[in-house]
Amino acid sequence: MPSKSKHESGKGPFSISVDIEASLFSEDAVMATCHQFTGRAHTRLTQPNRRHYHVILSAREGISLTADAAAAFMDALLDNEMRTRIARSTGAVRDVLVQTAFRNVTRQVGQQATT
Amino acid sequence: MTVSEPAKPGRYEMYPFRFKRLDRDTELLTSEAGEFVVADRGTVARILAGDILEDSALYRELTARQIIYDAESVGLLDLLAVKIKTKKAFLLSGPALHIVVLTLRCNQVCRYCQASSRKQDDAKYDMSDATIGKTVEMIMQSRSDNVTVEIQGGEPLVCFDKVRTIVGLSRTQAQLCSKQVSFVLCTNLTLATDEVLQFCKQENISISTSLDGPRAIHNRNRGAGWDDNYGRFRERLCRAFDIVGSDAVSALTTIAPPCLDSPIDIINEFVDIGLKSVFLRRVTHVGRATCWSDTRQAYSDQFLKFYLRALDYAIELNRKGVEIAEAYASLLLHKMLTPFPAGFVNLQSPAGAGIGVLTYHYNGDVYAQDEGRMLAEMGDFTFRLGNVHSDSYTAVIANPRLQSLLRDTCNEITPGCSDCAYLPYCGCDPVQEYTSHGVVSVSRPLSEHCRFHMAVFDYLFQRYLRGDDLTRRIFMSWALNRPVSLGNAKGAGRCTV
């Protein structure tokens, strides 16, 4: 199993930990997912060894983590991994698009700056 | 009988695109220019795997919306660049909206007032003629060929002579600078005599007014002025319709916390009064409205519920043939369903503060946006860019504060926004974020603006995609600011279900 989660509190889901296989998910995707959860939880991210990331989500004050938070985290991680792959594949095209869209503007600004 | 070749995965490449799961079964994919495709869950993974069949309808749709391209469509990259430039056209023209605070004096004491208005007889809060002159000079230096001067207060009609002055001066200067100038007068209408309305008609001035809801709500909110502010407002509004024309009059309503349970009453009031649009505006916690700051989080949650209920009701009315649009949703739909930007500063990335709008305070101070001067009245000058007497237009635009504001409100480089499927339609409200968190660039998972807009975009997409043809036509009419068409909405949108 690439990932697992557990509740660390017997009383309720105040804290949830998730183990992630580093061979399946990129660091960018893991970071993006942790960031996404910062509205609900404080996040502690560690890499205990080269093969795993370890994430601990601790509920923010006044917010309780629902029982499916770990599953929601994994869903979001999967989405973010795909986003990372799309970005990796299309970053160069995006640069060309932006340059093409605004090339005349850049020239105008440059001309204004020199005059 | 011949057997055709089995369909094979197409050879294609991806353009940059964003996606989100709309529900358990569907994914929303948005292109860099904001065109969108709704497809079965798993589509994004199939695109990544190179697994979309070349002769499928999905392949054609993804190609048409420029999510993917192949050997035949690779030449259309320039087209996508043009679409991106069109969507970002607001970056290129310079500030077009110039808000001029002619006075802080007001004849009413609205409980939600954000502008720190002053007593009606305290003339030291009026803009001097010298400052009006310098302000108009600065406005005419904007790179924009078409400028709108929005006259605000306080209540600007407590100094109608100054309204005449700035309109006259702006017309003269615009002619000299070969610019087109238009005017909006923001007024509570209670001081709008027939003479004022005739002037508006003659000068082609649009009127932006405010109505809080039915008589009880409106009178309770207004505090001072007339014994029956509501009655006076309605009488003057009718005269404004007669003299200036109903198309030249628009109204918004600020939803103070005590009004959060009245969405239907408020919309009914706008319908009853003959207005075709209502702008449901949330309270910004500056000025007098800071009295509700302690319950800000609860207000945010309740306002979202209020807003979605109001949209439900407005759609229901339209389905029965009653024409009433919600103005903010119309702006969002305009961005979703047309190739163009919305021209609303808080729905732009970077935010339109300073690049789409400048605000000139009564004392000559220049602010990046309207709420910036309201904050300044509370002693916080974070959004001040200069003064018309001491700074040039170039110095105002080049102010490091504005550069920093632009960087901090650029969603394309903001974590949480940069890969959000709603990025092409969304924006940023720097003052709201600043008053909530003390910084402009707020982590998106903590942002009120983000939470509200994610929910509203979800709602609009769901209603649009799951709705019948009539619902789509209603949304298209809101997006285009036109009456609901009798034709079929299919093909008018930019989506696939």
Side-chain angles (χ1 to χ4, degrees):
Chain A
M1 230 173 99
S3 308
K4 61 182 179 182
S5 64
K6 63 184 176 189
H7 291 180
E8 291 197 331
S9 164
K11 290 184 179 177
F14 298 117
S15 178
I16 288 170
S17 73
V18 184
D19 287 325
I20 300 159
E21 288 273 1
S23 60
L24 295 178
F25 297 99
S26 64
E27 187 180 323
D28 285 350
V30 175
M31 298 274 272
T33 311
C34 288
H35 177 260
Q36 215 168 313
F37 271 68
T38 52
R40 281 177 268 179
H42 298 290
T43 309
R44 181 176 156 78
L45 169 65
T46 55
Q47 188 164 18
N49 57 58
R50 289 175 63 183
R51 289 182 299 133
H52 293 97
Y53 296 105
H54 184 65
V55 179
I56 300 175
L57 304 171
S58 307
R60 281 181 176 273
E61 197 180 321
I63 299 175
S64 62
L65 290 172
T66 52
D68 64 352
F73 187 93
M74 290 308 298
D75 284 349
L77 179 60
L78 197 57
D79 285 353
N80 285 323
E81 180 57 35
M82 287 199 287
R83 291 187 179 107
T84 303
R85 292 182 189 191
I86 292 166
R88 207 182 297 139
S89 298
T90 63
V93 181
R94 175 176 277 133
D95 290 346
V96 171
L97 278 169
V98 173
Q99 280 168 16
T100 307
F102 296 105
R103 73 184 149 208
N104 292 335
V105 181
T106 315
R107 280 198 202 119
Q108 280 172 16
V109 173
Q111 281 164 1
Q112 279 177 2
T114 50
T115 52
Chain B
M1 187 176 149
T2 56
V3 178
S4 58
E5 285 279 311
K8 290 177 183 171
R11 289 185 177 177
Y12 60 84
E13 299 289 335
M14 291 181 290
Y15 280 120
F17 70 94
R18 300 175 177 87
F19 71 94
K20 99 180 276 280
R21 301 178 195 209
L22 270 185
D23 54 36
R24 288 177 56 158
D25 303 319
T26 50
E27 290 170 352
L28 172 74
L29 290 72
T30 56
S31 80
E32 199 65 13
E35 291 182 290
F36 60 86
V37 172
V38 176
D40 292 341
R41 186 167 175 178
T43 299
V44 174
R46 285 176 56 208
I47 292 173
L48 274 162
D51 204 20
I52 306 296
L53 299 178
E54 194 174 356
D55 59 358
S56 64
L58 178 62
Y59 188 97
R60 286 190 293 276
E61 201 60 44
L62 292 169
T63 310
R65 305 298 172 197
Q66 297 199 280
I67 306 281
I68 61 173
Y69 63 95
D70 55 21
E72 283 180 25
S73 57
V74 66
L76 296 177
L77 186 137
D78 279 359
L79 175 65
L80 181 54
V82 168
K83 291 177 187 173
I84 293 168
K85 188 176 178 181
T86 303
K87 206 76 175 174
K88 293 284 187 188
F90 62 91
L91 287 172
L92 312 177
S93 60
L97 176 61
H98 298 266
I99 295 172
V100 182
V101 182
L102 276 188
T103 181
L104 279 185
R105 292 191 289 144
C106 189
N107 65 329
Q108 298 190 324
V109 190
C110 302
R111 53 207 303 216
Y112 52 74
C113 179
Q114 299 150 192
S116 300
S117 61
R118 311 290 171 159
K119 287 180 183 167
Q120 192 175 347
D121 55 3
D122 209 344
K124 70 171 180 274
Y125 294 106
D126 288 357
M127 186 176 267
S128 69
D129 287 350
T131 304
I132 291 176
K134 283 286 188 184
T135 298
V136 172
E137 265 179 41
M138 190 173 277
I139 290 171
M140 296 306 157
Q141 288 178 60
S142 164
R143 281 179 54 211
S144 179
D145 293 331
N146 301 291
V147 294
T148 298
V149 176
E150 185 173 300
I151 302 165
Q152 280 205 20
E155 168 52 54
L157 292 183
V158 300
C159 53
F160 180 49
D161 56 326
K162 290 187 184 293
V163 176
R164 283 184 182 278
T165 304
I166 195 164
V167 170
L169 208 53
S170 299
R171 284 232 186 273
T172 309
Q173 296 259 346
Q175 206 164 14
L176 291 173
C177 302
S178 305
K179 286 186 192 297
Q180 297 293 318
V181 61
S182 54
F183 299 93
V184 178
L185 176 66
C186 298
T187 169
N188 62 37
L189 274 182
T190 57
L191 300 176
T193 59
D194 282 8
E195 181 198 356
V196 168
L197 297 173
Q198 292 289 359
F199 175 75
C200 291
K201 173 72 179 171
Q202 178 193 320
E203 293 290 345
N204 203 19
I205 298 172
S206 301
I207 292 175
S208 174
T209 189
S210 59
L211 167 65
D212 299 341
R215 184 184 302 270
I217 293 178
H218 190 84
N219 283 344
R220 189 176 60 206
N221 280 348
R222 297 293 163 143
W226 304 74
D227 288 340
D228 177 16
N229 278 302
Y230 173 86
R232 174 72 182 172
F233 169 83
R234 279 201 71 148
E235 187 237 321
R236 290 289 89 197
L237 183 69
C238 288
R239 285 301 284 160
F241 283 170
D242 289 344
I243 295 173
V244 189
S246 58
D247 288 348
V249 182
S250 63
L252 57 76
T253 181
T254 305
I255 308 301
C259 308
L260 284 166
D261 55 357
S262 311
I264 289 169
D265 292 342
I266 289 171
I267 288 180
N268 282 342
E269 183 64 32
F270 274 72
V271 171
D272 182 56
I273 221 161
L275 289 160
K276 300 239 167 24
S277 172
V278 50
F279 194 129
L280 300 170
R281 187 174 69 162
R282 60 184 292 148
V283 164
T284 302
H285 290 86
V286 291
R288 215 168 283 137
T290 50
C291 68
W292 292 305
S293 290
D294 289 349
T295 53
R296 181 179 188 133
Q297 185 60 51
Y299 172 78
S300 250
D301 296 341
Q302 288 161 6
F303 180 77
L304 176 59
K305 284 182 193 158
F306 166 95
Y307 188 74
L308 298 183
R309 265 184 75 197
L311 288 187
D312 273 340
Y313 185 60
I315 294 165
E316 190 186 317
L317 285 179
N318 278 273
R319 292 183 67 84
K320 291 175 182 166
V322 180
E323 196 183 326
I324 182 80
E326 200 288 313
Y328 195 70
S330 300
L331 291 167
L332 299 176
L333 288 164
H334 183 83
K335 292 196 78 175
M336 285 163 49
L337 303 177
T338 82
F340 306 108
F344 189 76
V345 290
N346 293 341
L347 285 178
Q348 295 175 358
S349 168
I355 56 170
V357 60
L358 285 171
T359 299
Y360 306 84
H361 210 20
Y362 74 95
N363 59 5
D365 281 351
V366 185
Y367 291 90
Q369 71 179 87
D370 194 21
E371 291 83 355
R373 58 99 177 181
M374 298 170 182
L375 210 53
E377 285 300 309
M378 298 165 68
D380 186 332
F381 296 89
T382 300
F383 295 91
R384 184 180 177 277
L385 301 178
N387 186 284
V388 293
H389 293 287
S390 55
D391 297 296
S392 67
Y393 174 79
T394 309
V396 165
I397 292 296
N399 188 309
R401 280 184 184 163
L402 182 54
Q403 314 298 318
S404 156
L405 189 61
L406 295 179
R407 191 184 56 240
D408 288 347
T409 60
C410 189
N411 291 344
E412 282 79 358
I413 54 168
T414 302
C417 287
S418 60
D419 52 10
C420 175
Y422 295 145
L423 179 136
Y425 323 119
C426 201
C428 178
D429 184 346
V431 174
Q432 187 192 31
E433 304 291 25
Y434 180 79
T435 56
S436 286
H437 301 275
V439 289
V440 168
S441 184
V442 175
S443 174
R444 287 301 177 259
L446 302 174
S447 157
E448 281 178 39
H449 185 275
C450 178
R451 206 153 46 91
F452 177 79
H453 286 81
M454 289 296 280
V456 174
F457 281 124
D458 281 348
Y459 172 92
L460 292 174
F461 268 107
Q462 295 282 4
R463 289 294 309 245
Y464 188 83
L465 297 167
R466 306 279 172 256
D468 58 10
D469 182 58
L470 180 55
T471 302
R472 289 178 178 218
R473 277 190 280 129
I474 291 165
F475 275 11
M476 193 53 78
S477 77
W478 290 12
L480 299 175
N481 192 22
R482 289 180 189 157
V484 179
S485 76
L486 298 173
N488 191 309
K490 275 187 182 170
R494 305 193 303 149
C495 75
T496 305
V497 184

